[in-house]
Amino acid sequence: MAKKLGVLLAVLLVLTLVGPLQAQEPVTFIWGAYTNPVQLYSAVVTDGVSFFVLEQGCESLLAFDGATTNVIPSLATELTANEDLTVWTAKLREGVTFHDGTPFNAEAVAFNFNVWRLTDHPLHFDSQVYEYYEYMFDGFDDASLIQSIDIVDEYTVRFNLSRPYVQMPNTLAMPMFEIHSPAALEKYGEDYGTPTVGYVCTGPYKFVEWVTDDHVTQDLWDGYWGEIEGNVERIIQRVIPDNAARFAALQAGAIHGKENATPEEIALIEASDDLYYILRPSLNVFYLAFNYRIKEFHDPLVRQAISLALNRQAYVDAFYVAAEVANTFLPPLMWGYNPDVPMPEYNPDKAVELLAQAGFPNGFSEVTVLPLDDAGNVMLDAEGEKIPLTLFWMPVTRPYNPDGEGIGQAMAADLAAIGINVQLENAGDWATYLARRRTGDLIGLYQLGWTGDNGDPDNFSGYFFKNCNQPQEGYFNFPEICETLLQAGSLVNQADREPLYQQADAMLAETVGRITIAHSQVPLVFRSNVSGYIANPLGTELIRFVTVE
């Protein structure tokens, strides 16, 4: 007993000398986000905040390489096609498991794609909108570009398509088609991707927790198949909606990085030894859209007048760090861009003349909302309801729009100068804004933009304007543009496709179907103890390359 007591006293003495044992804190990278993720199930997500979380822990069959849009292997080590590009065969990486320990294999790949493409699949829920699958693969069920999926063997899967599809590698690299654990999808059903569940994938970081309006935490997963080039063991995406508060948190060291910075913040960053910024190459567009339920917007003179009234260069100078006025919808970095389309003109006097020609010599403050028929089409010849003209500004900072409310106020002032008076409206949070855009309920003028997803112009212009029967948003319907994009998307060779995208861009600019405002290079701001962040024009950026000293 005396010997045991002596040992115990010795242990207590050591603990007294060195203090209580402390668990070593993981190396943590904290990213400041302007809002919550919308969802954490890639197949039903369209927003960048959600994808920032998902890209750290989920993987697609292919991936984009570093700072480029070049496609490289990921969960698939090889992708080959038959001669007419209608059958694509993927060889899958062996020895990969999901975070729940279940195996990644051909069966898991087929399971994910079948959930997305088959509307009668028990896990294809009406409450979850598979927007990207519908667009990138032509729709669901028999209409789907993917007609069937063969499990050739445990690590080989074959996609049988209804037509040639040259974009298949770029599309399979998109984060919207990340592969999730079938077991987790079956276990959680409709709740998968919500704050209480999160996600279960194969990537280097696994979901830990999502506290709404506060943070999302992901921890390094020791079962990851690939290499971790940086030293980050924990990622926290902290929600700080206010732009100034987010920058203050960065200055104070409470976060390590954030997206976007005002010109005033850039001046402070350049004068600081603790902060620096890099620019993400521009592959985006910021635009002002017309909702074509408004009768007045069907008059090209009205659209042209509104376009002439907007001082785009002033917006670029006042609100952006690095941007250029957009002459077309496609950005200059995208192949298919048309440099011959003239830069939009700022000419309020000419705008007043066009308004007078359109029958509005004194401008207008009210517009006419046209009803919809049973198929959801605008009834052009029907009587409509008069409502005040509203300009909806984006409630969040986005790569292409650094200050929705500020630019909205500037736009409203420019329009008032030609006699068009708008009511500025905040349509709700980001998720609500996107939902109202999708359902056509932003009735008026509204801000929005786009960042390319896969480096192909079909994903850019085609996403919005290629569906002739069901316009993507705002009841946009210009058949000539649609037919040109359809033709471009049906061809195999880039050399044949490129002039058609240029033609479609020129037609969109000439008709003023949308008002393009700017293409921006997004500043990404970091503490000086952060290195290794690779800015990708698609925004597919991985923290596994980052080191925090």
Side-chain angles (χ1 to χ4, degrees):
M1 175 63 72
K3 184 177 181 180
K4 289 183 178 178
L5 182 60
V7 171
L8 178 60
L9 289 173
V11 170
L12 290 174
L13 178 60
V14 170
L15 290 176
T16 301
L17 290 174
V18 302
L21 293 175
Q22 297 287 338
Q24 187 174 2
E25 288 295 323
V27 178
T28 302
F29 176 79
I30 306 175
W31 181 253
Y34 54 83
T35 189
N36 289 291
V38 175
Q39 237 276 4
L40 292 182
Y41 179 24
S42 317
V44 298
V45 165
T46 62
D47 71 293
V49 175
S50 300
F51 277 123
F52 182 87
V53 175
L54 284 160
E55 284 160 12
Q56 314 314 324
C58 295
E59 297 171 302
S60 304
L61 295 183
L62 302 172
F64 297 106
D65 187 15
T68 77
T69 59
N70 300 330
V71 174
I72 59 174
S74 181
L75 289 178
T77 57
E78 181 181 318
L79 181 70
T80 57
N82 64 346
E83 188 173 348
D84 67 358
L85 307 179
T86 57
V87 178
W88 290 82
T89 302
K91 292 284 187 182
L92 305 181
R93 191 175 300 278
E94 300 183 22
V96 176
T97 59
F98 292 100
H99 300 154
D100 58 6
T102 57
F104 166 78
N105 50 29
E107 189 173 338
V109 173
F111 184 94
N112 274 263
F113 276 87
N114 284 333
V115 168
W116 307 333
R117 77 185 183 92
L118 301 175
T119 57
D120 63 353
H121 193 288
L123 296 180
H124 185 110
F125 301 108
D126 290 339
S127 62
Q128 296 181 331
V129 181
Y130 301 82
E131 189 171 332
Y132 266 101
Y133 185 90
E134 182 178 18
Y135 164 64
M136 298 305 298
F137 293 113
D138 294 353
F140 306 111
D141 303 320
D142 292 341
S144 173
L145 174 62
I146 299 176
Q147 290 289 287
S148 62
I149 302 171
D150 299 330
I151 300 174
V152 179
D153 59 40
E154 186 173 3
Y155 294 107
T156 307
V157 63
R158 180 180 297 143
F159 299 91
N160 302 300
L161 311 185
S162 61
R163 61 174 172 82
Y165 190 51
V166 69
Q167 305 165 46
M168 191 68 168
N170 291 67
T171 299
L172 291 183
M174 293 168 62
M176 300 76 187
F177 306 118
E178 292 166 340
I179 306 300
H180 293 253
S181 161
L185 290 170
E186 288 184 321
K187 178 178 180 180
Y188 297 110
E190 211 162 351
D191 291 333
Y192 187 83
T194 61
T196 55
V197 174
Y199 66 79
V200 181
C201 294
T202 59
Y205 296 91
K206 63 181 180 180
F207 175 83
V208 175
E209 68 174 358
W210 175 359
V211 179
T212 303
D213 295 332
D214 195 86
H215 70 274
V216 179
T217 299
Q218 303 171 89
D219 277 353
L220 189 63
W221 180 48
D222 58 11
Y224 183 53
W225 59 268
E227 296 183 6
I228 308 296
E229 291 80 352
N231 70 346
V232 175
E233 299 169 300
R234 173 169 292 171
I235 303 169
I236 296 175
Q237 179 161 288
R238 189 166 298 286
V239 180
I240 308 175
D242 183 77
N243 292 338
R246 203 159 60 252
F247 184 65
L250 184 69
Q251 290 178 301
I255 62 175
H256 292 101
K258 78 180 191 84
E259 188 176 74
N260 276 323
T262 65
E264 294 77 16
E265 289 172 350
I266 290 296
L268 294 172
I269 293 166
E270 290 176 336
S272 170
D273 293 332
D274 298 325
L275 304 175
Y276 72 98
Y277 73 94
I278 58 177
L279 293 175
R280 177 185 292 150
S282 174
L283 201 70
N284 59 49
V285 65
F286 171 46
Y287 60 80
L288 185 67
F290 300 100
N291 188 313
Y292 286 92
R293 283 193 67 185
I294 302 296
K295 182 177 181 178
E296 289 77 5
F297 294 161
H298 286 265
D299 187 335
L301 293 175
V302 171
R303 299 199 301 272
Q304 183 67 32
I306 292 174
S307 176
L308 288 166
L310 301 180
N311 191 345
R312 297 167 175 79
Q313 189 62 56
Y315 310 155
V316 166
D317 294 341
F319 296 101
Y320 289 85
V321 172
E324 59 184 319
V325 171
N327 67 322
T328 71
F329 201 74
L330 284 180
L333 192 62
M334 178 79 74
W335 66 267
Y337 166 73
N338 191 337
D340 297 327
V341 174
M343 278 293 170
E345 186 181 2
Y346 170 56
N347 191 335
D349 293 335
K350 187 175 178 181
V352 171
E353 293 176 12
L354 294 181
L355 276 183
Q357 292 178 35
F360 302 103
N362 300 314
F364 56 81
S365 302
E366 287 189 333
V367 289
T368 311
V369 182
L370 297 169
L372 303 176
D373 63 19
D374 292 340
N377 299 312
V378 177
M379 301 173 68
L380 295 174
D381 298 327
E383 294 294 326
E385 176 191 2
K386 289 286 187 183
I387 65 167
L389 176 57
T390 299
L391 192 158
F392 298 92
W393 53 270
M394 289 172 53
V396 294
T397 298
R398 296 293 297 129
Y400 44 78
N401 183 357
D403 186 349
E405 185 175 13
I407 296 177
Q409 290 169 345
M411 289 175 163
D414 284 343
L415 292 173
I418 66 165
I420 296 178
N421 298 299
V422 302
Q423 293 185 358
L424 286 171
E425 182 169 328
N426 179 352
D429 62 17
W430 186 221
T432 303
Y433 193 91
L434 291 176
R436 291 187 64 181
R437 181 273 308 180
R438 186 173 60 250
T439 56
D441 291 330
L442 297 177
I443 301 179
L445 296 163
Y446 60 91
Q447 301 175 347
L448 210 55
W450 186 256
T451 298
D453 299 303
N454 69 8
D456 192 291
D458 189 74
N459 166 258
F460 212 97
S461 296
Y463 177 83
F464 292 94
F465 311 124
K466 199 177 72 173
N467 191 335
C468 303
N469 297 320
Q470 292 181 314
Q472 185 65 25
E473 64 176 54
Y475 304 95
F476 181 99
N477 191 5
F478 289 76
E480 289 185 9
I481 297 173
C482 179
E483 294 297 333
T484 303
L485 291 171
L486 279 174
Q487 185 183 357
S490 68
L491 301 176
V492 171
N493 295 321
Q494 181 173 327
D496 297 328
R497 298 172 65 202
E498 184 156 21
L500 293 172
Y501 289 112
Q502 292 176 330
Q503 182 181 340
D505 239 9
M507 287 192 289
L508 183 63
E510 185 178 359
T511 60
V512 199
R514 296 262 170 88
I515 297 179
T516 56
I517 304 295
H519 304 299
S520 66
Q521 295 182 69
V522 180
L524 303 164
V525 188
F526 300 96
R527 299 284 302 175
S528 57
N529 62 339
V530 174
S531 61
Y533 194 97
I534 300 173
N536 182 283
L538 303 172
T540 53
E541 291 153 359
L542 305 177
I543 303 305
R544 68 180 168 89
F545 291 101
V546 169
T547 294
V548 178
E549 301 294 345

